Structures are given as structure tokens and as C-alpha cells.
Amino acid sequence: MLEAQDLRPLLKELLREMFTQERDLLAELIYEVMEDVAMARAIAEGKDSENVGRDEIFALLEG
């Protein structure tokens, strides 16, 4: 069975390879994580807020 000290060099090499060869994939992954965090925060903040009607939302968007 692999121990933590055995996995560390493998993980470092994997990350190094991703940074050099898979930059777009890594950037997309980071973007997705940031988007998920922002959505979770918005949901948490929205739970305690007052409900707003559809017409009010569209009036703000059009204004």
C-alpha cells in the first residue's frame, strides 16, 4: 500500500505536467470551482433574504 510520503512525488509530478501540458484543462477546472463556490455563497445568502417577484427582477434588469 502506498504511503503519503510515496504519493507526494507522484502528485508533484502530476501537477507539474498539468501546468505545462494541460493548461487549458486546469484553467477550466479552476474556473468551475470558483463558479461553484460563488453559487454556494449566493444560495446561502439568498436563504435568509426576502422573496422578490419576477416582475421586480425584470424591472431591475431592464432599468
Side-chain angles (χ1 to χ4, degrees):
M1 182 172 233
L2 288 175
E3 297 293 324
Q5 68 264 15
D6 298 327
L7 290 176
R8 184 174 286 242
L10 294 173
L11 184 57
K12 282 184 177 181
E13 182 59 32
L14 175 65
L15 288 172
R16 186 177 300 115
E17 187 173 318
M18 281 185 67
F19 279 125
T20 57
Q21 295 179 5
E22 303 293 337
R23 249 192 170 128
D24 293 339
L25 178 64
L26 185 60
E28 187 176 324
L29 177 65
I30 291 170
Y31 178 80
E32 290 291 327
V33 169
M34 290 172 58
E35 194 175 58
D36 289 347
V37 169
M39 181 64 75
R41 285 182 180 169
I43 290 170
E45 287 178 19
K47 280 185 172 182
D48 297 329
S49 68
E50 183 178 315
N51 287 342
V52 178
R54 183 178 189 271
D55 293 335
E56 259 185 278
I57 292 170
F58 280 101
L60 288 172
L61 292 173
E62 290 172 358

